[in-house]
Amino acid sequence: MLGDRKVLIIGAGLAGVETAYLLAEAGVKVILCESKKLKRNEAQKLDTVAELVCSNSLKSLKEESAHGLLKKEMEDFGSLMMRVGLETQVPAGDALAVDRVLFSQKIEEIIKSHPLIELKELEVEKPLDLMKVEGADFLVLSTGPMSGKSITDFICQELWDQEKGQDAFFFYDAIAPIVDAETLNYERLYYKDRHQEKEGGDYLNVPFTREEYDHFVEDILAAKKVHSHDFEEEKFFESCLPIDVMAKRGHHTLRYSCMKPIGLFPVNWTEKPYAVLQLRKENLLGSAFNLVGFQTRLTYPEQKRIFQKMPGFENAEFITYGSVHRNFFVNAPLVLRSDLAAQKNDSIYLAGQITGVEGYTESAAMGIYVGLQILRRLQKKESLTLPPETAMGALINYLMTMERAAPSNCHWGIFPQLPNAPRGRKKRKEKKQMLFDRAREAFIKFREEVGV
Ligand SMILES: Cc1cc2nc3c(=O)[nH]c(=O)nc-3n(C[C@H](O)[C@H](O)[C@H](O)COP(=O)(O)OP(=O)(O)OC[C@H]3O[C@@H](n4cnc5c(N)ncnc54)[C@H](O)[C@@H]3O)c2cc1C
């Protein structure tokens, strides 16, 4: 009887709420503990669960993108993030961006009103003790990339076989600034989505002349930065590099990454912008914009001074400045089994970003995955092995074969190669569509065969 079984989940972030919801919907009792109302971490601003702490984008919905595929699989498994994400969507081209406050509030309402979920405001320091007190069959740790010392110590000491190698890894990400929309000078800015022929669009663009770009890069290089603590090694995630790190790599690096002008040339302009920064709406009202890809380690006064020199930003006021943060995750092949239970104690599962995936959607997907695996255990069935051609299967495959400390988001590079892939740049779209179709076929077949 599933109703007699209980699962304790620590951390009501994107992963924790997905695991809780999936299990509760299947008839399992869940105790979900969340500490933020008592003590927020440096990135949190809301009191409600499932907070998107930086960008408000859950990335692409497009069919031929790996993120679009992952979202389809999550929807098929009844994802709470997808359901509420679509209900609280704000315009962002092909991406699923949400009103972060509404998103988090709605998820909390659903969790709190579920008859089989008990949401406890509690900072758990001794997970095993609480597991005993609650009489839980399984424990899920979904405490996120900013997990505190008690949890990281617990994972390192209880779940890690020290003799097998190095301790838990960590590295840095950085938060992108958010600007007050009312303080921008729109005469210097224009709306356009990348590669869209038509005028207008969801993104507001900040065009730089060559001279403006050159000065901007010089300013960034010379600016004061916040440096990490002596005991912390600086390891950045390659697809989320701070702009100051990118500027240091070369004068044109920014122009080839987050300030890439390609596909953003305004129709009637005779002179093309040399570089373009994109701004994405933060909420439905459009009262704030996220500086896309502008995560940075610059000190707050330096950010204000330098960003106010950007076109249209003369009087800009910032709601949030960029900042640096720690990201804790485990070396999955050493610590976890492929169902994400700990090798040392299989009644404990890890879910979300601490498993070694990167991103809101990927973290939530790992919450669903763990929910499915626990359900199988409770039903006395074999664990699930999702085909690596599927998005969730590819993420698990990546985690279990990870050779270095490099968390991954969901992209086509982690999927098995197509045996007869069409070659050449012009065939890229076709190739992605083939990967997508292969994944959908494998996913549907898997579900039919296994009955999930
Ligand atoms: C600063 C920052 C910016 C990021 N920006 C982006 C971005 O722009 N886009 C993107 O896709 N990804 C981003 N990420 C990466 C990542 O995908 C998110 O952190 C994501 O929220 C991870 O989901 P999660 O459920 O694993 O953890 P979280 O969402 O962090 O949830 C963990 C929860 O556990 C709670 N908790 C922790 N310890 C305890 C305890 N002992 N007892 C009880 N509760 C506890 C926390 O309060 C938190 O609510 C960012 C990460 C950070 C840290």
Side-chain angles (χ1 to χ4, degrees), residues 19 33 49 72 113 151 154 169 234 240 342 363 371-372 375 435:
T19 312
C33 300
V49 302
K72 267 216 159 2
S113 62
I151 297 294
F154 174 79
F169 297 110
E234 281 181 358
C240 192
S363 300
L372 289 168
L375 201 53
L435 285 165

Side-chain angles (χ1 to χ4, degrees), residues 146 276 302 402 433 442:
M146 299 187 76
V276 176
E302 290 288 73
M402 187 161 61
Q433 191 62 52

Side-chain angles (χ1 to χ4, degrees), residues 222-263:
K224 279 199 195 114
K225 285 127 197 145
V226 180
H227 286 289
S228 48
H229 301 289
D230 293 345
F231 59 91
E232 292 168 321
E233 194 186 343
E234 281 181 358
K235 285 186 192 167
F236 297 104
F237 181 46
E238 277 297 313
S239 66
C240 192
L241 287 176
I243 52 169
D244 43 285
V245 172
M246 282 196 271
K248 220 170 140 189
R249 288 189 175 180
H251 186 77
H252 296 286
T253 307
L254 287 169
R255 235 165 57 77
Y256 283 94
S257 49
C258 59
M259 295 180 79
K260 190 168 63 181
I262 293 162

Side-chain angles (χ1 to χ4, degrees), residues 11 13-15 34-35 44 54-55 122 124 142 144-145 325 353 359-360 363:
L14 292 157
E34 174 52 56
S35 58
Q44 291 169 335
C54 181
S55 156
L122 178 68
V124 181
S142 49
H325 66 88
Q353 183 133 332
Y360 299 142
S363 300

Side-chain angles (χ1 to χ4, degrees), residues 29-209:
K29 276 192 199 135
V30 174
I31 310 278
L32 177 59
C33 300
E34 174 52 56
S35 58
K36 67 194 310 211
K37 280 201 179 114
L38 309 169
K39 189 166 128 195
R40 289 183 192 163
N41 66 35
E42 299 94 301
Q44 291 169 335
K45 289 177 200 71
L46 306 176
D47 276 341
T48 38
V49 302
E51 175 172 356
L52 306 178
V53 288
C54 181
S55 156
N56 61 335
S57 171
L58 300 169
K59 306 216 178 96
S60 185
L61 276 169
K62 264 208 245 166
E63 277 232 337
E64 73 273 12
S65 77
H67 261 108
L69 173 68
L70 179 61
K71 289 189 181 69
K72 267 216 159 2
E73 292 178 9
M74 291 169 70
E75 271 190 291
D76 288 348
F77 283 132
S79 165
L80 183 59
M81 181 202 90
M82 282 307 295
R83 180 181 135 196
V84 178
L86 292 168
E87 284 169 18
T88 57
Q89 193 171 5
V90 297
D94 292 323
L96 173 57
V98 302
D99 182 316
R100 74 178 72 224
V101 176
L102 271 183
F103 174 81
S104 172
Q105 280 172 353
K106 280 203 170 210
I107 291 188
E108 177 147 324
E109 274 166 32
I110 294 167
I111 291 288
K112 273 186 164 166
S113 62
H114 201 294
L116 290 182
I117 304 177
E118 185 185 347
L119 180 61
K120 284 194 170 180
E121 288 166 23
L122 178 68
E123 183 183 7
V124 181
E125 297 201 332
K126 297 193 170 146
L128 285 181
D129 290 358
L130 185 64
M131 198 182 163
K132 247 188 229 154
V133 171
E134 293 291 353
D137 299 275
F138 294 106
L139 167 68
V140 179
L141 295 170
S142 49
T143 45
M146 299 187 76
S147 296
K149 192 167 176 333
S150 52
I151 297 294
T152 55
D153 280 356
F154 174 79
I155 291 174
C156 295
Q157 286 156 20
E158 298 287 332
L159 304 186
W160 194 277
D161 196 343
Q162 303 289 338
E163 283 163 21
K164 276 190 188 165
Q166 214 185 333
D167 279 351
F169 297 110
F170 56 86
F171 74 101
Y172 288 88
D173 269 351
I175 296 179
I178 295 172
V179 65
D180 182 341
E182 279 190 8
T183 63
L184 296 174
N185 173 4
Y186 289 82
E187 282 175 16
R188 298 288 317 270
L189 313 174
Y190 62 95
Y191 280 98
K192 188 175 191 305
D193 294 344
R194 202 180 292 278
H195 299 306
Q196 296 293 323
E197 289 298 317
K198 59 180 176 10
E199 294 283 337
D202 296 331
Y203 286 85
L204 184 60
N205 298 289
V206 185
F208 286 64
T209 61

